[in-house]
Amino acid sequence: MKPSDLLSSLLPPAARPGDLLSAVDSPALLLDLDAFERNVRQMQAAADSAGLALRPHAKAHKCVAIAQAQMRAGAVGICCQKVSEAIPFVAAGIPDILVSNELIGEAKARLLAALAGHARMSVCVDHEQQVEQLAQACEQAGSRLELLVEINIGQDRCGVADAPAVLRLVEVIAQYAGQLRFKGLQAYQGGLQHVRGAEVRREAVLRATERARLVVRDLLDEGIACETVTGGGTGSAAFDLGLGLYTELQPGSYVFMDADYGRNETADDGLRFEHSLLLASRVMSEGTGDRAVLDAGLKSLSAESGMPWVWEAGSPSERWDYVSANDEHGILQCRTPGGAKPRLGEQVLLVPGHCDPTLNLHDAIVAHRAGRVEAVWAIEARGLSR
Ligand code: PLP
Ligand code: MN
């Protein structure tokens, strides 16, 4: 027997359609379909009523079935953060993908140019060397790309500083008119997405996007119109909608809402998303004193944005905390000394601290409704980080 046959014969999927949720093998990612569908609809409706395009970020889910649900709801396309991440989505027929990031090197340019032979592809640039490599790759592949110049609006990650720098790149792009087209700007500020206070976050969004507004104005003065201005995330979306700056929003985490986003305050006029993503774990050892040991640690959930929440009856547990993550173990602690612990073998549900890197740890997500498994979706772009 080949090792791969042994794996599939001895290790079935964590769940099958029709299974009871309580019987799902652990650790396994769960998706509450009702909450997920409400999240998808709410963000789409908000973008629609503001007259903006929605291009959800697939870096959060890496899952074709989820991207297809977003497209059915009205998304214009999706974002990917890495060029290889886009491959399964292109293969599945998603027609329009923005790689919302810079890429450098001939291998990546060749890959993107090849993908552009199958779907409408766009990508960010902040240096002429990237533009030249992309043009060369497109010429060889016989394909075309649309470019967004990224501007730095305060995250100090990628992006050029000002309108003159954008103009210089627009001129370089214009030299390759057979291969490349200037589509507009990307202005994303990740640092403010998790500012906890709603009004402090609103102010931070206004300040950061003012820089983008000035660049758009200066470009217009030079006769350059931006067909697209894209940006925004789950934390800023409610405020981005009405700015009159963006033509397109690219939030990702709203489909799931991790514990980090759960700590954000929602503005009175804000968007209220639900926690649809859970990790099913199990008590694997009784542990000592007020502690119990779960079978889910750092190889099943990401904890760099904080520990997961223990989830009971649709809310954060008032009895137990997940206090530390080892590689394969998680430590659960009773809040009150001597309090009841979950039993050995009992399922314990967790809201992951940070959704994107958590999805990257799993092959599949178990989609459920009313206590039953409805589908098991592959996470096709898991591990595709080139
Ligand atoms: N756009 C870009 C460029 C990002 O880097 C991210 C997240 O890191 C997003 C959009 C989506 O943000 P969120 O998942 O917080 O909605
Ligand atoms: Mn994230």
Side-chain angles (χ1 to χ4, degrees):
M1 195 183 259
K2 287 194 309 220
S4 58
D5 293 342
L6 194 61
L7 186 68
S8 58
S9 68
L10 295 185
L11 190 71
R16 291 207 163 84
D19 287 354
L20 276 175
L21 202 57
S22 52
V24 171
D25 197 12
S26 59
L29 279 181
L30 308 181
L31 183 68
D32 176 336
L33 284 169
D34 289 329
F36 161 76
E37 287 165 6
R38 284 192 292 269
N39 289 344
V40 168
R41 277 199 302 271
Q42 187 186 180
M43 187 64 94
Q44 186 67 53
D48 287 349
S49 58
L52 303 191
L54 183 65
R55 182 184 290 280
H57 217 304
K59 75 193 280 293
H61 55 72
K62 290 176 167 276
C63 170
V64 166
I66 293 182
Q68 287 168 336
Q70 292 170 317
M71 295 298 292
R72 282 195 302 274
V76 294
I78 61 167
C79 293
C80 289
Q81 197 81 313
K82 293 299 196 90
V83 60
S84 68
E85 191 175 61
I87 298 172
F89 298 103
V90 171
I94 300 290
D96 186 333
I97 301 179
L98 164 62
V99 178
S100 61
N101 204 354
E102 284 71 9
L103 53 89
I104 193 75
E106 281 173 26
K108 289 181 174 53
R110 264 201 306 273
L111 173 54
L112 184 60
L115 290 174
H118 301 276
R120 181 178 183 186
M121 300 295 297
S122 48
V123 66
C124 292
V125 293
D126 64 2
H127 195 283
E128 62 181 62
Q129 200 181 326
Q130 298 149 352
V131 179
E132 286 157 4
Q133 281 182 347
L134 291 167
Q136 209 166 42
C138 282
E139 190 174 4
Q140 279 162 11
S143 61
R144 289 179 58 84
L145 283 170
E146 296 175 310
L147 303 194
L148 291 126
V149 177
E150 181 162 24
I151 53 174
N152 174 13
I153 58 166
Q155 186 169 15
D156 296 337
R157 190 170 69 178
C158 301
V160 301
D162 51 23
V166 178
L167 279 172
R168 280 194 294 278
L169 286 175
V170 170
E171 281 167 18
V172 181
I173 294 167
Q175 290 166 22
Y176 301 101
Q179 291 78 39
L180 307 177
R181 187 176 83 87
F182 171 69
K183 191 181 185 198
L185 301 177
Q186 173 165 291
Y188 175 75
Q189 216 299 28
L192 51 75
Q193 300 298 330
H194 292 89
V195 170
R196 298 300 179 207
E199 293 315 312
V200 191
R201 194 164 67 253
R202 188 196 304 269
E203 283 303 313
V205 170
L206 289 176
R207 263 197 315 277
T209 51
E210 188 55 25
R211 281 166 77 162
R213 193 188 300 282
L214 294 176
V215 171
V216 171
R217 188 202 60 192
D218 291 351
L219 290 175
L220 260 185
D221 287 348
E222 299 292 329
I224 303 292
C226 296
E227 170 189 313
T228 295
V229 180
T230 186
T234 300
S236 65
F239 312 127
D240 297 323
L241 286 166
L243 291 174
L245 167 70
Y246 291 111
T247 64
E248 176 182 286
L249 296 186
Q250 45 174 260
S253 303
Y254 71 99
V255 292
F256 297 138
M257 293 302 282
D258 51 30
D260 197 10
Y261 263 124
R263 293 184 195 99
N264 269 16
E265 185 195 3
T266 304
D268 293 340
D269 58 348
L271 299 165
R272 234 165 263 281
F273 300 106
E274 301 171 50
H275 295 285
S276 66
L277 177 73
L278 294 174
L279 184 79
S281 71
R282 199 162 253 110
V283 178
M284 56 175 283
S285 176
E286 282 191 317
T288 55
D290 291 320
R291 292 150 59 104
V293 184
L294 302 178
D295 62 357
L298 292 170
K299 290 186 185 172
S300 321
L301 47 80
S302 135
E304 87 297 335
S305 303
M307 290 298 140
W309 285 346
V310 181
W311 198 242
E312 285 191 285
S315 305
S317 172
E318 293 178 355
R319 304 189 287 171
W320 304 320
D321 293 309
Y322 185 113
V323 291
S324 77
N326 301 166
D327 291 349
E328 292 87 6
H329 301 84
I331 305 299
L332 199 78
Q333 172 106 40
C334 292
R335 277 202 198 159
T336 43
K341 298 199 284 189
R343 295 178 318 279
L344 184 65
E346 189 171 331
Q347 188 184 59
V348 174
L349 300 175
L350 305 168
V351 177
H354 188 185
C355 56
D356 317 54
T358 297
L359 269 282
N360 197 40
L361 298 170
H362 294 263
D363 294 323
I365 186 163
V366 176
H368 62 92
R369 210 185 299 270
R372 291 263 178 200
V373 175
E374 197 167 295
V376 180
W377 290 339
I379 303 171
E380 293 90 344
R382 176 253 168 108
L384 295 178
S385 58
R386 288 200 279 160

